[in-house]
């Protein structure tokens, strides 16, 4: 593939976007950008330094962080200040913290700029909440994945258990619904499909069915 290609995958937690974005990245041999991990990394670091909501502090904190994406065939490594973001950011607690700081204009503005800079010279598949609607409005292909809250919660429980994090289904379902409301009702860049996004309900589809659907569009129209 020679022409630079940007594919966006948006959707709520547990819609399957992370797994699908990684599969597309492997199949097309293009980089994979997990923008949720950026919000999680910022939230995790702010929490660690005991941030209390002070806007000036967040400004100087953002000035000091650097993100970079290292792409090698077979995997993309997202680093914050030179460190790969690992499993410590994957808990539901950090997810909720990320959703809280994702409401702030200063954070969104900063991360949007970083995401566009990362995509400037490479082809990539970017996943998040506002990839197709705000960050990459001219993306070549935009997808929006969704599934019922119960199915998404079940998937999250399985993912977290695979990481060795023991969780309760009912807690996860409630946290996920809380995060859905917060992400889709915030004033700036709310979770919402871009007008030209292809919407896929993954509730009753296997991963390979979702992947086939997406690849059908990408192969057929590129
Ligand atoms: O995809 P995720 O669950 O790792 O994302 C964590 C939170 O980060 C999510 O609840 C909202 C926020 N987020 C966002 O606001 N915009 C993005 N592009 C990606 C994530």
């Amino acid at each position: 593939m020679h022409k630079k290609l940007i594919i966006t995958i948006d959707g709520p937690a547990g819609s399957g976007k992370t797994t699908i974005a990684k599969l597309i990245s492997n199949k097309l041999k293009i980089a994979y950008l997990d923008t949720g991990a950026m919000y999680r990394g910022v939230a995790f670091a702010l929490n660690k330094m005991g941030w209390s909501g002070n806007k000036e502090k967040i400004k100087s904190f953002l000035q000091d962080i650097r993100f970079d994406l290292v792409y090698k065939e077979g995997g993309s490594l997202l680093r914050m200040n030179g460190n790969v973001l690992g499993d410590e950011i994957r808990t539901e607690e950090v997810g909720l913290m990320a959703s809280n700081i994702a409401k702030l204009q200063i954070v969104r503005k900063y991360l949007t700029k970083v995401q566009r800079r990362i995509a400037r010279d490479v082809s990539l598949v970017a996943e998040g909440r506002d990839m197709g609607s705000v960050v990459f409005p001219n993306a070549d292909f935009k997808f929006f994945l969704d599934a019922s809250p119960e199915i998404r919660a079940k998937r999250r429980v399985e993912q977290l258990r695979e990481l060795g994090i023991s969780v309760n289904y009912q807690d996860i379902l409630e946290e996920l619904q809380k995060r859905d409301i917060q992400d889709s009702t915030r004033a700036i860049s709310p979770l919402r499909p871009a007008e030209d996004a292809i919407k896929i309900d993954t509730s009753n589809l296997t991963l390979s069915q979702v992947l086939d659907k997406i690849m059908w569009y990408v192969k057929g129209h590129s």
Side-chain angles (χ1 to χ4, degrees):
M1 199 148 308
H2 300 297
K3 182 183 160 275
K4 191 167 103 84
L5 180 71
I6 303 277
I7 300 175
T8 61
I9 316 250
D10 289 302
S15 56
K17 59 190 192 315
T18 303
T19 314
I20 286 294
K22 283 184 183 166
L23 290 171
I24 295 172
S25 150
N26 278 339
K27 221 171 167 97
L28 296 177
K29 303 192 179 7
I30 59 175
Y32 156 65
L33 179 64
D34 175 359
T35 63
M38 296 173 125
Y39 285 92
R40 283 172 184 263
V42 168
F44 186 81
L46 282 171
N47 183 56
K48 211 167 161 188
M49 66 187 227
W51 182 64
S52 58
N54 179 302
K55 289 249 167 83
E56 279 311 308
K57 281 223 172 91
I58 204 167
K59 204 167 163 186
S60 66
F61 167 79
L62 290 174
Q63 272 161 3
D64 285 345
I65 54 172
R66 295 282 170 273
F67 279 101
D68 66 313
L69 184 69
V70 185
Y71 171 65
K72 278 192 240 118
E73 213 169 288
S76 296
L77 290 182
L78 179 65
R79 298 190 303 196
M80 185 169 137
N81 292 340
N83 301 313
V84 174
L85 290 162
D87 292 345
E88 69 282 1
I89 62 161
R90 293 292 157 200
T91 64
E92 228 6 75
E93 194 191 357
V94 177
L96 201 50
M97 285 185 224
S99 174
N100 287 334
I101 58 123
K103 288 189 275 190
L104 304 174
Q105 164 107 42
I106 187 165
V107 175
R108 298 212 75 83
K109 216 169 145 191
Y110 168 76
L111 287 180
T112 296
K113 199 169 90 192
V114 174
Q115 289 152 12
R116 289 182 179 151
R117 181 201 21 94
I118 289 175
R120 203 173 46 206
D121 306 314
V122 294
S123 290
L124 55 75
V125 47
E127 63 125 318
R129 303 289 188 288
D130 60 344
M131 295 296 101
S133 55
V134 175
V135 181
F136 302 115
N138 299 319
D140 300 273
F141 299 97
K142 300 180 183 179
F143 298 94
F144 189 91
L145 306 188
D146 207 350
S148 70
E150 291 73 20
I151 289 199
R152 292 192 286 115
K154 198 168 148 258
R155 289 177 185 162
R156 286 294 292 158
V157 169
E158 280 162 16
Q159 274 170 1
L160 291 169
R161 286 191 182 152
E162 268 167 33
L163 293 176
I165 304 171
S166 110
V167 282
N168 169 281
Y169 168 81
Q170 201 54 36
D171 292 346
I172 290 290
L173 178 63
E174 280 165 25
E175 278 166 6
L176 200 126
Q177 285 174 316
K178 190 168 163 195
R179 203 140 69 86
D180 279 357
I181 294 173
Q182 185 153 284
D183 290 344
S184 52
T185 56
R186 68 177 171 230
I188 321 159
S189 310
L191 166 67
R192 148 172 334 153
E195 273 184 22
D196 50 349
I198 296 153
K199 300 184 195 75
I200 302 175
D201 185 333
T202 67
S203 302
N204 299 309
L205 298 177
T206 63
L207 274 176
S208 73
Q209 285 171 325
V210 179
L211 183 65
D212 285 352
K213 250 181 199 289
I214 291 183
M215 290 310 294
W216 181 84
Y217 282 104
V218 175
K219 291 272 186 228
H221 302 261
S222 60

